[in-house]
Amino acid sequence: MERTFVMVKPNGVARGLVGEVIARFERRGFTLCGLKALRIDRELAERHYAEHVGKPFFESLAAFITSGPVVAMVWEGREAIRVARAMMGVTDSADAAPGTIRGDFSLSKEENIVHGSDGPESAAREIALFFADGELV
């Protein structure tokens, strides 16, 4: 079994989509191992999006992710990273297929409802950023 990190971003929380996102992962057969609502501060935003610091779009990315509460989750299942990314759809909602979270709910590339780890290394790093070992079941 593999674990992945998934986050409902501020616009997804504001639009009341947390339950929908959770339901999709549960229906797919994933196990929820950790969940918390929080506000991301600038320091955590820089650590979470470390690979984008200094890029032209980083400031707007950081402003968005710190603009309201998020819901951070850890999901476990067979090929969790790959399957979760397929369920979310591609980053740009204009290209996201209907039936994916972004294809069904996202209105823009920048504010695309959810974030998910893109590989085993980023999953481990992101899980550790948001959850202590004792917080996961």
Side-chain angles (χ1 to χ4, degrees):
M1 289 297 181
E2 182 176 64
R3 286 185 172 176
T4 192
F5 176 78
V6 174
M7 176 175 34
V8 180
K9 295 179 180 181
N11 62 333
V13 173
R15 290 177 53 198
L17 296 173
V18 175
E20 174 69 29
V21 172
I22 291 171
R24 287 180 182 222
F25 280 91
E26 288 180 330
R27 284 195 305 263
R28 187 65 188 245
F30 284 99
T31 301
L32 183 61
C33 300
L35 176 130
K36 64 169 72 169
L38 68 145
R39 283 186 163 273
I40 295 178
D41 62 19
R42 175 65 185 221
E43 178 187 351
L44 181 55
E46 288 180 3
R47 291 172 58 207
H48 178 64
Y49 289 123
E51 69 275 15
H52 300 306
V53 172
K55 293 181 181 174
F57 59 87
F58 177 76
E59 288 305 320
S60 63
L61 183 65
F64 170 59
I65 206 67
T66 60
S67 68
V70 301
V71 173
M73 298 172 278
V74 176
W75 290 96
E76 183 176 79
R78 184 174 164 266
E79 298 187 54
I81 296 167
R82 184 180 65 79
V83 175
R85 290 189 62 80
M87 290 172 61
M88 288 185 291
V90 298
T91 302
D92 189 339
S93 61
D95 298 324
T100 65
I101 294 166
R102 291 172 176 152
D104 291 349
F105 302 112
S106 180
L107 302 173
S108 75
K109 180 178 182 178
E110 294 77 22
E111 298 183 8
N112 59 12
I113 307 294
V114 290
H115 166 85
S117 301
D118 63 3
E121 295 81 18
S122 64
R125 183 180 65 79
E126 291 170 344
I127 290 168
L129 278 175
F130 288 88
F131 293 92
D133 287 338
E135 294 180 312
L136 299 177
V137 296

